[in-house]
Amino acid sequence: RTPLFAMFEQAQAVSESHGVDFKSVAIGVVLGGGISFLVGSLLAGKKQAKPDPENDYMAAKLKVGTGLSGALVAGQMYIGDKLGMYAALRELCAAKDSSVTAIDLAKKLSLHVRWVREWMAQQAAYGILTLLPGTGDDDLSLRYRFPAAMQEVFANPESSHYSIAMIQAIPAMVNRTRTVLPSCFKTGLGVPYNELDIAEAIDRHHKRHIRDTLLAKVIPAAAQGRLQAVLDKGVRVADLGCGAGNLMLAFARRFPKCEIHGYEVSDEAILLGRKAIEESGLTNLFMHDARTDPLGKAGERPFEVVLCYDVLHDATQPALLIDQVKRAMAPGGMWLLGDISSKDSVRENVALNPDAATYYSFSTCLCMSSALSEKGGAGLGTLGFGIKMAKKMLKAGGFGSVRVVLDGVDNTRWFEVME
């Protein structure tokens, strides 16, 4: 990202948040006013009306440009993640002030240097890598630094800042817009989650939240600390929609006296989960195919604790899942339910949720599509399980106590649900 482009981004932010005409601010930047001009715009901006969207062609063209750029940049991030380039760059730039060339990175990963040269140039242009000062333009002269903050976000799964995981799902979701979504819009039927990149991306994405938020903050706060005491003592725990088993594995390690059962319908996730369980060597957790061995079936021993993370808004029949939990829970049990931190209406999400455009895109490509993948599906979608909807559905399912334990961390809301 060039300094000029960064100024234009700031100009855009000023124009949107303070009612300042974007074209006026942009012209000031081009003429050399820079940041000082932005400050002046803030002082004068209250007197200017916001541009009329009916006639603001610059803003309209900017939407196309940012959309095009975002999709292509995400594709380059996918390549960097999939081929291990970010991880290798972290190793090569571990020492303070160290730098790397395309030759170094290509050699380390056995890649073709010409392709690596182009990718590194793109990463520097976007601002992920820093191209060090110099005059030469050959592969020996072009040296790059992978800044420490970028290393944490892109290449350190143990960091609280790690955020690259969902990039793995983007090409698969974008491909859906070309291959299946046109038909979905016509028929009303969506498609389920069964793609490996999507299952792995969600699994990776959840790990940090489970470690840094669920185990560290939500569990100790639930039921004024009583839940943690129950889990430490050892009880039967069900994980509804367990994916590839991250939550199960984390709980099995943290609460070794508990017996943990996961229920999942995705073929890819079940395969990944069973492999992870086998490799872990743990003996207190079990994976179930919920299509043939559902939660809450007759004759099953009850569960004192039920977990459900990032599931209900994707489900075709969330009311049936709520009923399964009701039948499976032991008297006095607790359901810890995590879902997207959504507002209660489209109007509120559009006006107040800064990530609404991204989440509605996720919804058509993935979440709502899954929730409509069977005839009669509820179709809640990514932002469809706000507090009002949650309380309405849970109380209809027989749960009289619904309390928010934690809201907003990683765009997730955790409910404590009891009879």
Side-chain angles (χ1 to χ4, degrees), residues 33 63 74 90 194 196-197 201 211 216 221 305 327 353 355 384 391:
K63 296 299 182 187
R90 182 186 176 209
N194 270 335
L196 184 59
D197 263 349
R211 180 191 69 218
V305 176
R327 288 186 280 111
N353 188 337
D355 298 314
K391 288 184 175 180

Side-chain angles (χ1 to χ4, degrees), residues 148-167:
M150 295 293 174
Q151 293 183 33
E152 295 295 287
V153 169
F154 284 81
N156 184 6
E158 301 307 313
S159 171
S160 61
H161 300 290
Y162 186 66
S163 303
I164 188 68
M166 281 306 296
I167 285 291

Side-chain angles (χ1 to χ4, degrees), residues 22 106 147 185 232-233 271 348 385 390-391:
F22 174 79
F185 271 77
D232 284 334
K233 181 180 178 181
L271 288 173
E348 289 178 283
F385 197 70
K391 288 184 175 180

